[in-house]
Amino acid sequence: MNLTEPQSLPEQEAQVLQVWGRASLQGHVKISGAKNSALAIMAGTLLCPQACRIRNLPSLVDVTRMSEVLSALGVQLERDGDILDVNAGDIGNGSAPYELVSRLRASFFVIGPLLARLGVAHVPLPGGCAIGARPVDLHVRGLQAMGAEVRIEHGMVQADVRGRGGKLQGGKIYLDYPSVGATETLIMAATLAEGETQIENAAQEPEVVDLAHFCRAMGAKIRGAGTNTILISGVERLHAVDYSIIPDRIEAGTLLVAGAITHSELSLSPVVPEHISPVIAKLRAIGVKIIAETPDHLRVIPGALRATDIETLPYPGFPTDLQAQFMALLSLSEGNSLITETVFENRLRHVAELNRMGANIRVKGRHAIVHGVPMLSGAPVVATDLRASAALVLAGLAAEGKTTLQGLSHLDRGYENLESKLRQLGGNLQRVTPEAKEREDSPSGVAQ
Ligand code: UD1
Protein backbone atom coordinates (compact mmCIF):
# COMPACT_ATOMS: atom_id res chain seq x y z
CA MET A 1 0.00 0.00 0.00
CA ASN A 2 1.37 3.41 -0.93
CA LEU A 3 -0.81 6.05 0.62
CA THR A 4 0.28 9.58 1.30
CA GLU A 5 -3.09 10.47 2.57
CA PRO A 6 -4.55 12.45 5.43
CA GLN A 7 -4.10 10.62 8.70
CA SER A 8 -6.04 11.41 11.82
CA LEU A 9 -3.06 11.87 14.10
CA PRO A 10 -3.40 12.74 17.80
CA GLU A 11 -1.70 16.11 17.25
CA GLN A 12 -4.19 16.92 14.44
CA GLU A 13 -7.02 16.08 16.79
CA ALA A 14 -5.55 18.47 19.36
CA GLN A 15 -5.52 21.32 16.85
CA VAL A 16 -8.22 23.97 16.67
CA LEU A 17 -9.47 25.96 13.71
CA GLN A 18 -9.70 29.70 14.10
CA VAL A 19 -12.26 31.34 11.83
CA TRP A 20 -12.49 35.11 11.57
CA GLY A 21 -16.01 36.33 10.83
CA ARG A 22 -17.72 38.94 8.64
CA ALA A 23 -15.89 37.29 5.76
CA SER A 24 -16.44 38.45 2.24
CA LEU A 25 -15.72 35.66 -0.22
CA GLN A 26 -15.37 35.69 -3.96
CA GLY A 27 -14.15 33.53 -6.81
CA HIS A 28 -14.47 29.98 -8.01
CA VAL A 29 -14.13 26.72 -6.13
CA LYS A 30 -13.49 23.23 -7.45
CA ILE A 31 -15.70 20.50 -6.03
CA SER A 32 -13.96 17.22 -5.13
CA GLY A 33 -15.09 13.66 -5.78
CA ALA A 34 -17.98 12.41 -3.64
CA LYS A 35 -16.94 10.89 -0.31
CA ASN A 36 -19.89 8.52 -0.11
CA SER A 37 -19.40 7.28 -3.68
CA ALA A 38 -15.70 6.80 -3.07
CA LEU A 39 -16.28 4.64 0.02
CA ALA A 40 -18.86 2.39 -1.66
CA ILE A 41 -16.85 2.06 -4.87
CA MET A 42 -13.70 1.20 -2.93
CA ALA A 43 -15.65 -1.61 -1.23
CA GLY A 44 -16.91 -2.61 -4.69
CA THR A 45 -13.38 -3.21 -5.96
CA LEU A 46 -13.40 -6.37 -3.80
CA LEU A 47 -15.72 -7.90 -6.38
CA CYS A 48 -13.14 -7.78 -9.12
CA PRO A 49 -10.16 -10.12 -9.53
CA GLN A 50 -8.52 -7.71 -11.99
CA ALA A 51 -6.99 -4.22 -11.69
CA CYS A 52 -9.35 -1.30 -11.06
CA ARG A 53 -8.46 2.37 -11.50
CA ILE A 54 -10.58 4.90 -9.61
CA ARG A 55 -10.28 8.57 -10.56
CA ASN A 56 -11.40 11.75 -8.83
CA LEU A 57 -10.88 10.15 -5.42
CA PRO A 58 -11.01 12.78 -2.65
CA SER A 59 -8.22 13.02 -0.05
CA LEU A 60 -10.04 12.33 3.20
CA VAL A 61 -9.39 10.50 6.43
CA ASP A 62 -12.41 8.26 5.69
CA VAL A 63 -10.86 7.27 2.36
CA THR A 64 -7.57 6.45 4.10
CA ARG A 65 -9.47 4.33 6.61
CA MET A 66 -11.28 2.43 3.87
CA SER A 67 -7.89 1.87 2.17
CA GLU A 68 -6.59 0.40 5.42
CA VAL A 69 -9.54 -1.99 5.64
CA LEU A 70 -8.99 -3.13 2.05
CA SER A 71 -5.28 -3.49 2.64
CA ALA A 72 -5.94 -5.67 5.71
CA LEU A 73 -8.08 -7.91 3.48
CA GLY A 74 -5.12 -8.44 1.14
CA VAL A 75 -5.91 -5.81 -1.51
CA GLN A 76 -3.00 -4.02 -3.22
CA LEU A 77 -3.48 -0.25 -3.37
CA GLU A 78 -1.38 2.42 -5.03
CA ARG A 79 -2.35 6.07 -4.90
CA ASP A 80 -1.15 8.94 -7.07
CA GLY A 81 -3.00 12.22 -6.43
CA ASP A 82 -6.68 11.63 -7.04
CA ILE A 83 -6.10 8.31 -8.81
CA LEU A 84 -6.27 5.04 -6.89
CA ASP A 85 -5.14 1.77 -8.42
CA VAL A 86 -6.63 -1.23 -6.70
CA ASN A 87 -5.93 -4.89 -7.22
CA ALA A 88 -8.07 -7.32 -5.26
CA GLY A 89 -6.83 -10.31 -7.29
CA ASP A 90 -5.56 -12.09 -4.24
CA ILE A 91 -7.80 -11.46 -1.25
CA GLY A 92 -7.39 -13.53 1.87
CA ASN A 93 -9.87 -15.05 4.24
CA GLY A 94 -12.62 -12.42 4.29
CA SER A 95 -12.06 -11.24 7.88
CA ALA A 96 -12.08 -7.50 8.41
CA PRO A 97 -10.28 -6.36 11.59
CA TYR A 98 -12.36 -4.80 14.38
CA GLU A 99 -10.02 -1.90 15.11
CA LEU A 100 -10.31 -0.67 11.51
CA VAL A 101 -14.04 -1.26 10.92
CA SER A 102 -14.97 0.37 14.24
CA ARG A 103 -13.49 3.66 12.97
CA LEU A 104 -15.57 3.83 9.79
CA ARG A 105 -19.18 2.69 9.51
CA ALA A 106 -19.01 2.49 5.71
CA SER A 107 -16.33 -0.18 5.94
CA PHE A 108 -19.08 -2.58 7.10
CA PHE A 109 -20.29 -2.44 3.47
CA VAL A 110 -17.39 -4.79 2.52
CA ILE A 111 -19.57 -7.62 3.83
CA GLY A 112 -21.56 -7.78 0.55
CA PRO A 113 -18.66 -8.01 -1.92
CA LEU A 114 -16.62 -10.31 0.35
CA LEU A 115 -19.47 -12.74 0.67
CA ALA A 116 -20.17 -12.63 -3.07
CA ARG A 117 -16.54 -13.19 -3.98
CA LEU A 118 -15.38 -15.63 -1.28
CA GLY A 119 -18.57 -17.24 -0.03
CA VAL A 120 -17.69 -16.15 3.49
CA ALA A 121 -17.26 -12.86 5.35
CA HIS A 122 -16.46 -11.96 8.95
CA VAL A 123 -17.04 -8.28 9.59
CA PRO A 124 -17.37 -6.60 13.00
CA LEU A 125 -20.53 -4.64 13.79
CA PRO A 126 -19.68 -1.01 13.12
CA GLY A 127 -20.83 0.13 16.56
CA GLY A 128 -22.67 3.29 17.61
CA CYS A 129 -21.94 6.72 16.30
CA ALA A 130 -22.43 10.35 17.24
CA ILE A 131 -25.55 10.80 15.07
CA GLY A 132 -27.52 7.78 16.20
CA ALA A 133 -27.55 4.03 16.69
CA ARG A 134 -27.24 3.22 12.96
CA PRO A 135 -27.92 -0.52 13.05
CA VAL A 136 -27.15 -2.90 10.15
CA ASP A 137 -30.24 -5.12 10.40
CA LEU A 138 -31.36 -4.27 6.85
CA HIS A 139 -27.98 -5.33 5.42
CA VAL A 140 -28.14 -8.60 7.36
CA ARG A 141 -31.74 -9.43 6.48
CA GLY A 142 -31.06 -8.76 2.81
CA LEU A 143 -28.09 -11.12 2.78
CA GLN A 144 -30.18 -13.77 4.56
CA ALA A 145 -32.86 -13.38 1.88
CA MET A 146 -30.12 -14.25 -0.61
CA GLY A 147 -29.39 -17.50 1.19
CA ALA A 148 -26.56 -16.47 3.51
CA GLU A 149 -26.33 -18.01 6.94
CA VAL A 150 -25.65 -15.10 9.24
CA ARG A 151 -24.61 -15.35 12.88
CA ILE A 152 -23.86 -12.39 15.09
CA GLU A 153 -21.48 -13.42 17.86
CA HIS A 154 -19.11 -11.44 20.02
CA GLY A 155 -19.78 -8.27 18.03
CA MET A 156 -18.90 -10.01 14.77
CA VAL A 157 -21.20 -10.62 11.81
CA GLN A 158 -20.30 -13.99 10.31
CA ALA A 159 -21.92 -14.62 6.95
CA ASP A 160 -21.48 -17.85 5.02
CA VAL A 161 -22.82 -19.42 1.83
CA ARG A 162 -20.28 -22.24 1.59
CA GLY A 163 -22.98 -24.73 2.61
CA ARG A 164 -24.93 -23.61 -0.50
CA GLY A 165 -22.28 -24.17 -3.11
CA GLY A 166 -20.42 -20.99 -2.18
CA LYS A 167 -22.85 -18.74 -4.02
CA LEU A 168 -25.49 -16.26 -2.96
CA GLN A 169 -28.89 -16.85 -4.57
CA GLY A 170 -30.86 -14.08 -6.23
CA GLY A 171 -34.08 -13.18 -4.42
CA LYS A 172 -36.71 -10.55 -3.78
CA ILE A 173 -35.77 -8.12 -1.03
CA TYR A 174 -38.02 -5.42 0.35
CA LEU A 175 -36.15 -2.87 2.45
CA ASP A 176 -38.25 -1.54 5.35
CA TYR A 177 -36.38 1.75 4.90
CA PRO A 178 -34.48 2.94 1.80
CA SER A 179 -31.09 2.67 3.51
CA VAL A 180 -28.17 3.86 1.40
CA GLY A 181 -25.68 1.43 2.91
CA ALA A 182 -28.01 -1.60 2.79
CA THR A 183 -28.89 -0.90 -0.86
CA GLU A 184 -25.17 -0.69 -1.69
CA THR A 185 -24.28 -3.85 0.25
CA LEU A 186 -27.02 -5.77 -1.55
CA ILE A 187 -26.22 -4.43 -5.03
CA MET A 188 -22.63 -5.58 -4.55
CA ALA A 189 -23.67 -8.94 -3.14
CA ALA A 190 -26.10 -9.56 -6.02
CA THR A 191 -23.65 -8.81 -8.87
CA LEU A 192 -22.06 -12.27 -8.51
CA ALA A 193 -25.12 -14.15 -7.18
CA GLU A 194 -26.88 -16.96 -8.96
CA GLY A 195 -29.99 -15.61 -10.74
CA GLU A 196 -31.84 -12.33 -10.40
CA THR A 197 -32.15 -10.13 -7.32
CA GLN A 198 -34.83 -7.48 -6.95
CA ILE A 199 -34.35 -4.77 -4.31
CA GLU A 200 -37.60 -2.96 -3.56
CA ASN A 201 -37.83 0.35 -1.67
CA ALA A 202 -34.17 0.81 -2.60
CA ALA A 203 -32.28 4.02 -1.83
CA GLN A 204 -32.14 6.35 -4.86
CA GLU A 205 -29.17 8.50 -3.84
CA PRO A 206 -26.75 9.56 -6.62
CA GLU A 207 -23.98 7.66 -4.80
CA VAL A 208 -26.00 4.42 -5.12
CA VAL A 209 -26.32 5.13 -8.85
CA ASP A 210 -22.57 5.84 -9.04
CA LEU A 211 -21.81 2.48 -7.42
CA ALA A 212 -24.18 0.75 -9.86
CA HIS A 213 -22.45 2.47 -12.81
CA PHE A 214 -19.08 1.36 -11.46
CA CYS A 215 -20.28 -2.25 -11.16
CA ARG A 216 -21.80 -2.10 -14.65
CA ALA A 217 -18.49 -0.81 -16.03
CA MET A 218 -16.97 -4.03 -14.60
CA GLY A 219 -19.56 -6.13 -16.43
CA ALA A 220 -22.35 -6.39 -13.82
CA LYS A 221 -25.95 -6.47 -15.01
CA ILE A 222 -27.91 -3.87 -13.08
CA ARG A 223 -31.11 -2.03 -14.03
CA GLY A 224 -33.19 0.56 -12.24
CA ALA A 225 -30.50 2.20 -10.05
CA GLY A 226 -31.81 5.66 -9.18
CA THR A 227 -35.39 4.33 -8.90
CA ASN A 228 -36.91 2.50 -5.94
CA THR A 229 -36.65 -0.91 -7.63
CA ILE A 230 -33.26 -2.26 -8.63
CA LEU A 231 -32.81 -5.47 -10.60
CA ILE A 232 -29.50 -7.28 -10.66
CA SER A 233 -28.77 -10.37 -12.76
CA GLY A 234 -25.78 -12.17 -11.34
CA VAL A 235 -22.76 -12.77 -13.59
CA GLU A 236 -19.88 -15.25 -13.21
CA ARG A 237 -17.05 -12.75 -13.07
CA LEU A 238 -16.29 -9.04 -13.27
CA HIS A 239 -13.44 -7.44 -15.19
CA ALA A 240 -10.95 -4.54 -14.97
CA VAL A 241 -12.29 -0.99 -14.98
CA ASP A 242 -11.21 2.65 -15.15
CA TYR A 243 -13.85 4.76 -13.44
CA SER A 244 -14.28 8.38 -12.35
CA ILE A 245 -16.29 9.29 -9.23
CA ILE A 246 -19.11 11.90 -9.39
CA PRO A 247 -18.69 15.34 -7.75
CA ASP A 248 -19.62 15.60 -4.08
CA ARG A 249 -23.13 17.08 -3.85
CA ILE A 250 -22.78 17.67 -0.11
CA GLU A 251 -19.57 19.65 -0.53
CA ALA A 252 -21.27 21.64 -3.32
CA GLY A 253 -24.26 22.35 -1.05
CA THR A 254 -21.95 23.39 1.79
CA LEU A 255 -20.17 25.91 -0.46
CA LEU A 256 -23.45 27.29 -1.81
CA VAL A 257 -24.40 27.96 1.82
CA ALA A 258 -20.97 29.58 2.34
CA GLY A 259 -21.86 32.09 -0.40
CA ALA A 260 -25.35 32.67 0.98
CA ILE A 261 -24.34 33.08 4.63
CA THR A 262 -21.47 35.51 3.88
CA HIS A 263 -23.51 37.43 1.25
CA SER A 264 -20.85 36.60 -1.33
CA GLU A 265 -21.03 35.71 -5.00
CA LEU A 266 -19.27 32.40 -5.68
CA SER A 267 -19.11 29.93 -8.52
CA LEU A 268 -18.64 26.17 -8.23
CA SER A 269 -17.81 23.34 -10.59
CA PRO A 270 -18.03 20.52 -11.36
CA VAL A 271 -21.52 19.93 -10.01
CA VAL A 272 -24.47 17.89 -11.19
CA PRO A 273 -27.30 20.41 -10.49
CA GLU A 274 -29.90 17.61 -10.64
CA HIS A 275 -28.21 15.97 -7.62
CA ILE A 276 -28.86 19.04 -5.51
CA SER A 277 -32.27 20.14 -6.79
CA PRO A 278 -33.90 20.06 -3.31
CA VAL A 279 -30.97 22.12 -2.01
CA ILE A 280 -31.25 24.68 -4.82
CA ALA A 281 -35.01 24.90 -4.26
CA LYS A 282 -34.50 25.64 -0.54
CA LEU A 283 -31.79 28.24 -1.22
CA ARG A 284 -34.15 30.00 -3.63
CA ALA A 285 -36.92 29.88 -1.01
CA ILE A 286 -34.49 31.50 1.45
CA GLY A 287 -33.86 34.35 -1.02
CA VAL A 288 -30.61 33.29 -2.67
CA LYS A 289 -30.24 33.20 -6.47
CA ILE A 290 -28.64 30.14 -8.01
CA ILE A 291 -27.72 30.34 -11.67
CA ALA A 292 -26.58 27.41 -13.82
CA GLU A 293 -23.86 29.01 -15.95
CA THR A 294 -23.05 25.82 -17.83
CA PRO A 295 -24.44 22.32 -17.25
CA ASP A 296 -21.84 21.62 -14.53
CA HIS A 297 -21.20 25.13 -13.21
CA LEU A 298 -23.34 26.96 -10.63
CA ARG A 299 -23.16 30.54 -9.39
CA VAL A 300 -24.64 31.66 -6.09
CA ILE A 301 -25.81 35.28 -5.90
CA PRO A 302 -26.68 36.42 -2.38
CA GLY A 303 -29.92 38.05 -1.33
CA ALA A 304 -31.81 39.04 1.83
CA LEU A 305 -32.27 35.83 3.84
CA ARG A 306 -35.74 34.74 4.92
CA ALA A 307 -36.99 31.78 6.94
CA THR A 308 -38.16 28.50 5.45
CA ASP A 309 -39.04 25.02 6.74
CA ILE A 310 -36.87 21.98 6.00
CA GLU A 311 -37.51 18.28 6.49
CA THR A 312 -34.71 15.82 5.82
CA LEU A 313 -35.69 12.77 3.76
CA PRO A 314 -34.13 10.03 1.67
CA TYR A 315 -33.18 11.19 -1.86
CA PRO A 316 -34.71 12.96 -3.77
CA GLY A 317 -35.74 14.70 -0.54
CA PHE A 318 -33.60 17.22 1.29
CA PRO A 319 -30.34 15.54 2.44
CA THR A 320 -29.70 15.01 6.13
CA ASP A 321 -26.02 15.68 5.38
CA LEU A 322 -26.86 19.36 4.71
CA GLN A 323 -29.28 19.87 7.61
CA ALA A 324 -26.69 21.38 9.98
CA GLN A 325 -25.27 23.76 7.35
CA PHE A 326 -28.79 25.02 6.50
CA MET A 327 -29.51 25.46 10.20
CA ALA A 328 -26.53 27.84 10.40
CA LEU A 329 -27.96 29.76 7.43
CA LEU A 330 -31.52 29.85 8.78
CA SER A 331 -30.27 31.08 12.15
CA LEU A 332 -29.39 34.32 10.28
CA SER A 333 -32.58 34.44 8.18
CA GLU A 334 -35.50 36.69 9.01
CA GLY A 335 -38.44 34.89 10.60
CA ASN A 336 -39.02 31.47 12.13
CA SER A 337 -37.98 28.21 10.46
CA LEU A 338 -38.87 24.66 11.41
CA ILE A 339 -36.24 22.01 10.72
CA THR A 340 -37.28 18.37 11.06
CA GLU A 341 -34.66 15.61 11.05
CA THR A 342 -36.30 12.35 10.03
CA VAL A 343 -33.31 10.25 8.88
CA PHE A 344 -31.20 10.06 12.05
CA GLU A 345 -32.50 10.14 15.59
CA ASN A 346 -29.69 12.16 17.16
CA ARG A 347 -28.53 14.67 14.62
CA LEU A 348 -29.32 18.01 16.25
CA ARG A 349 -26.35 18.23 18.61
CA HIS A 350 -24.96 21.27 16.78
CA VAL A 351 -27.91 23.33 18.08
CA ALA A 352 -26.19 23.92 21.43
CA GLU A 353 -23.02 25.07 19.67
CA LEU A 354 -24.88 27.43 17.32
CA ASN A 355 -26.73 28.85 20.32
CA ARG A 356 -23.35 29.54 21.96
CA MET A 357 -22.71 31.78 18.96
CA GLY A 358 -25.92 33.74 19.59
CA ALA A 359 -28.37 31.71 17.50
CA ASN A 360 -31.88 31.28 18.88
CA ILE A 361 -32.84 27.64 18.30
CA ARG A 362 -35.06 25.37 20.38
CA VAL A 363 -35.18 21.59 20.02
CA LYS A 364 -38.30 19.52 20.53
CA GLY A 365 -37.74 15.86 19.72
CA ARG A 366 -36.71 15.69 16.08
CA HIS A 367 -37.69 19.30 15.43
CA ALA A 368 -35.62 22.45 15.73
CA ILE A 369 -37.37 25.80 15.79
CA VAL A 370 -35.01 28.45 14.50
CA HIS A 371 -35.80 32.09 15.31
CA GLY A 372 -33.64 34.13 12.95
CA VAL A 373 -31.28 36.62 14.60
CA PRO A 374 -29.55 39.58 12.91
CA MET A 375 -26.02 38.55 13.91
CA LEU A 376 -24.00 35.67 15.36
CA SER A 377 -20.93 36.25 17.48
CA GLY A 378 -17.71 34.25 17.33
CA ALA A 379 -17.19 31.79 20.20
CA PRO A 380 -15.24 28.66 21.14
CA VAL A 381 -17.29 25.71 19.82
CA VAL A 382 -16.95 21.96 19.53
CA ALA A 383 -17.73 19.91 16.42
CA THR A 384 -20.03 17.03 17.31
CA ASP A 385 -19.95 15.27 13.93
CA LEU A 386 -18.76 15.76 10.36
CA ARG A 387 -21.54 17.95 8.97
CA ALA A 388 -21.94 19.84 12.26
CA SER A 389 -18.31 20.87 11.99
CA ALA A 390 -18.96 22.33 8.52
CA ALA A 391 -21.99 24.19 9.87
CA LEU A 392 -19.88 25.76 12.62
CA VAL A 393 -17.23 26.86 10.11
CA LEU A 394 -19.97 28.51 8.02
CA ALA A 395 -21.46 30.19 11.10
CA GLY A 396 -17.96 31.35 12.06
CA LEU A 397 -17.41 32.94 8.63
CA ALA A 398 -20.59 34.98 9.05
CA ALA A 399 -20.26 35.83 12.76
CA GLU A 400 -18.82 38.93 14.39
CA GLY A 401 -15.31 38.20 15.73
CA LYS A 402 -13.37 34.97 16.02
CA THR A 403 -14.72 31.41 16.30
CA THR A 404 -12.46 28.64 17.55
CA LEU A 405 -13.54 25.17 16.49
CA GLN A 406 -12.43 22.05 18.34
CA GLY A 407 -12.89 18.44 17.19
CA LEU A 408 -11.27 18.80 13.75
CA SER A 409 -11.01 15.04 13.29
CA HIS A 410 -14.68 15.20 12.23
CA LEU A 411 -14.03 17.85 9.56
CA ASP A 412 -11.05 15.97 8.13
CA ARG A 413 -13.09 12.78 7.77
CA GLY A 414 -15.23 14.17 4.99
CA TYR A 415 -14.13 17.49 3.47
CA GLU A 416 -11.12 17.72 1.17
CA ASN A 417 -9.19 20.88 2.08
CA LEU A 418 -12.26 22.87 3.14
CA GLU A 419 -10.13 25.48 4.89
CA SER A 420 -7.78 26.04 1.99
CA LYS A 421 -10.70 26.21 -0.44
CA LEU A 422 -12.34 28.86 1.76
CA ARG A 423 -9.01 30.68 2.14
CA GLN A 424 -8.60 30.83 -1.63
CA LEU A 425 -12.01 32.51 -1.75
CA GLY A 426 -10.80 35.15 0.71
CA GLY A 427 -11.83 33.58 4.04
CA ASN A 428 -9.59 33.99 7.05
CA LEU A 429 -9.14 30.57 8.68
CA GLN A 430 -6.16 29.09 10.42
CA ARG A 431 -5.41 25.78 12.08
CA VAL A 432 -3.31 26.17 15.21
CA THR A 433 -2.08 24.01 18.06
CA PRO A 434 -3.58 24.77 21.49
CA GLU A 435 -0.19 26.13 22.68
CA ALA A 436 -0.04 28.63 19.85
CA LYS A 437 -3.60 29.65 20.61
CA GLU A 438 -2.77 30.18 24.29
CA ARG A 439 0.22 32.36 23.35
CA GLU A 440 -1.98 34.41 21.08
CA ASP A 441 -4.75 34.77 23.66
CA SER A 442 -2.45 35.82 26.50
CA PRO A 443 -2.22 39.63 26.87
CA SER A 444 1.58 39.61 26.93
CA GLY A 445 1.74 37.30 23.92
CA VAL A 446 3.60 34.75 26.11
CA ALA A 447 2.08 31.40 27.03
CA GLN A 448 1.01 31.48 30.70
C1 UD1 B 1 -25.22 7.06 4.22
C2 UD1 B 1 -24.17 8.12 4.09
C3 UD1 B 1 -24.41 9.23 5.11
C4 UD1 B 1 -25.84 9.76 5.00
C5 UD1 B 1 -26.85 8.61 5.06
C6 UD1 B 1 -28.29 9.07 4.82
C7 UD1 B 1 -22.29 6.80 3.33
C8 UD1 B 1 -20.92 6.31 3.59
N1 UD1 B 1 -22.87 7.53 4.30
O1 UD1 B 1 -25.07 6.47 5.51
O2 UD1 B 1 -23.49 10.29 4.83
O3 UD1 B 1 -26.10 10.64 6.08
O4 UD1 B 1 -26.53 7.63 4.07
O5 UD1 B 1 -28.38 9.74 3.61
O6 UD1 B 1 -22.81 6.62 2.26
N2 UD1 B 1 -30.81 1.99 9.28
C9 UD1 B 1 -31.37 0.92 9.94
N3 UD1 B 1 -30.93 -0.34 9.64
C10 UD1 B 1 -29.95 -0.58 8.72
C11 UD1 B 1 -29.40 0.53 8.04
C12 UD1 B 1 -29.85 1.80 8.34
O7 UD1 B 1 -32.24 1.10 10.79
O8 UD1 B 1 -29.59 -1.73 8.49
C13 UD1 B 1 -31.27 3.36 9.62
C14 UD1 B 1 -30.15 4.23 10.19
O9 UD1 B 1 -30.00 4.02 11.56
C15 UD1 B 1 -30.61 5.61 9.86
C16 UD1 B 1 -31.36 5.42 8.53
O10 UD1 B 1 -31.64 4.02 8.42
O11 UD1 B 1 -31.51 6.10 10.82
C17 UD1 B 1 -30.55 5.85 7.31
O12 UD1 B 1 -29.34 5.14 7.27
P1 UD1 B 1 -28.59 4.74 5.92
O13 UD1 B 1 -29.36 5.28 4.76
O14 UD1 B 1 -28.29 3.30 5.96
O15 UD1 B 1 -27.26 5.58 6.07
P2 UD1 B 1 -25.78 5.07 5.86
O16 UD1 B 1 -25.70 4.19 4.67
O17 UD1 B 1 -25.20 4.62 7.14
Side-chain angles (χ1 to χ4, degrees):
M1 184 167 73
N2 167 19
L3 293 165
T4 47
E5 281 320 298
Q7 305 291 325
S8 182
L9 301 172
E11 53 279 22
Q12 265 177 308
E13 274 161 32
Q15 288 178 331
V16 295
L17 181 67
Q18 297 180 331
V19 184
W20 281 267
R22 307 303 298 268
S24 182
L25 309 178
Q26 68 169 33
H28 175 263
V29 58
K30 181 182 175 295
I31 302 301
S32 301
K35 168 180 88 75
N36 289 348
S37 278
L39 297 175
I41 286 173
M42 288 172 78
T45 62
L46 286 164
L47 291 165
C48 182
Q50 297 176 354
C52 297
R53 173 163 282 190
I54 304 171
R55 297 177 191 267
N56 202 28
L57 189 81
S59 283
L60 303 169
V61 168
D62 273 7
V63 165
T64 306
R65 288 179 175 166
M66 184 58 109
S67 304
E68 287 166 0
V69 171
L70 294 181
S71 181
L73 290 165
V75 178
Q76 304 290 316
L77 300 127
E78 194 74 40
R79 177 145 192 187
D80 183 11
D82 68 354
I83 296 181
L84 182 68
D85 285 314
V86 184
N87 194 324
D90 195 14
I91 51 176
N93 60 3
S95 277
Y98 169 74
E99 57 288 1
L100 297 180
V101 175
S102 62
R103 294 191 302 163
L104 174 65
R105 172 175 166 86
S107 60
F108 182 80
F109 307 172
V110 299
I111 194 164
L114 279 180
L115 190 58
R117 178 91 186 277
L118 302 174
V120 61
H122 295 182
V123 183
L125 285 167
C129 130
I131 59 173
R134 301 181 94 175
V136 290
D137 54 317
L138 299 171
H139 303 238
V140 168
R141 271 190 277 154
L143 294 173
Q144 284 170 327
M146 296 176 72
E149 256 177 51
V150 184
R151 279 181 301 143
I152 302 179
E153 275 174 7
H154 312 294
M156 198 78 169
V157 182
Q158 320 217 11
D160 207 324
V161 283
R162 285 171 303 184
R164 294 175 165 255
K167 278 212 153 214
L168 285 158
Q169 307 296 314
K172 215 170 184 175
I173 301 162
Y174 176 84
L175 293 177
D176 288 345
Y177 185 89
S179 152
V180 173
T183 305
E184 292 173 342
T185 293
L186 298 172
I187 288 177
M188 292 188 273
T191 55
L192 297 177
E194 202 124 88
E196 185 168 272
T197 302
Q198 181 167 340
I199 308 173
E200 288 178 7
N201 198 26
Q204 301 174 45
E205 269 69 1
E207 296 77 19
V208 172
V209 179
D210 208 21
L211 172 69
H213 284 159
F214 169 74
C215 292
R216 283 171 58 173
M218 293 191 293
K221 293 203 171 125
I222 304 172
R223 283 176 293 146
T227 73
N228 62 4
T229 304
I230 304 179
L231 290 162
I232 306 120
S233 292
V235 295
E236 268 302 311
R237 230 175 126 78
L238 299 177
H239 56 71
V241 68
D242 186 331
Y243 190 83
S244 189
I245 290 171
I246 56 169
D248 195 311
R249 64 191 167 106
I250 305 301
E251 187 196 8
T254 302
L255 284 154
L256 290 175
V257 174
I261 203 169
T262 60
H263 300 281
S264 305
E265 193 169 319
L266 301 179
S267 70
L268 334 172
S269 71
V271 264
V272 183
E274 184 195 324
H275 290 173
I276 48 172
S277 36
V279 176
I280 292 174
K282 281 299 166 192
L283 283 168
R284 288 185 174 144
I286 292 170
V288 180
K289 265 199 194 144
I290 307 287
I291 299 172
E293 297 197 307
T294 65
D296 76 342
H297 202 122
L298 289 181
R299 178 172 293 276
V300 48
I301 299 172
L305 304 173
R306 51 177 185 263
T308 196
D309 294 344
I310 289 180
E311 181 170 333
T312 66
L313 287 168
Y315 190 86
F318 187 90
T320 174
D321 286 351
L322 282 168
Q323 177 257 106
Q325 299 88 319
F326 269 74
M327 189 181 290
L329 181 62
L330 290 172
S331 70
L332 284 167
S333 303
E334 196 178 341
N336 296 332
S337 305
L338 177 67
I339 299 182
T340 306
E341 173 58 54
T342 74
V343 179
F344 290 109
E345 70 273 23
N346 189 18
R347 206 176 199 181
L348 292 170
R349 300 200 311 162
H350 41 276
V351 167
E353 300 304 303
L354 287 170
N355 282 345
R356 285 170 60 73
M357 297 178 71
N360 182 355
I361 309 169
R362 262 187 321 124
V363 173
K364 209 156 193 299
R366 290 187 168 205
H367 305 285
I369 301 124
V370 185
H371 302 281
V373 295
M375 185 48 69
L376 296 175
S377 59
V381 286
V382 180
T384 48
D385 68 58
L386 166 59
R387 305 305 173 183
S389 59
L392 294 168
V393 171
L394 296 173
L397 286 170
E400 187 107 78
K402 186 175 81 177
T403 295
T404 307
L405 176 67
Q406 278 180 53
L408 298 184
S409 57
H410 293 296
L411 193 64
D412 295 339
R413 274 190 45 218
Y415 283 96
E416 182 175 67
N417 302 329
L418 184 64
E419 296 138 63
S420 61
K421 287 184 182 184
L422 290 169
R423 259 200 304 270
Q424 275 166 21
L425 297 171
N428 191 350
L429 305 92
Q430 200 186 2
R431 217 175 255 241
V432 292
T433 57
E435 299 79 57
K437 181 182 169 299
E438 240 173 72
R439 266 200 306 280
E440 201 183 277
D441 290 348
S442 91
S444 60
V446 176
Q448 307 289 301

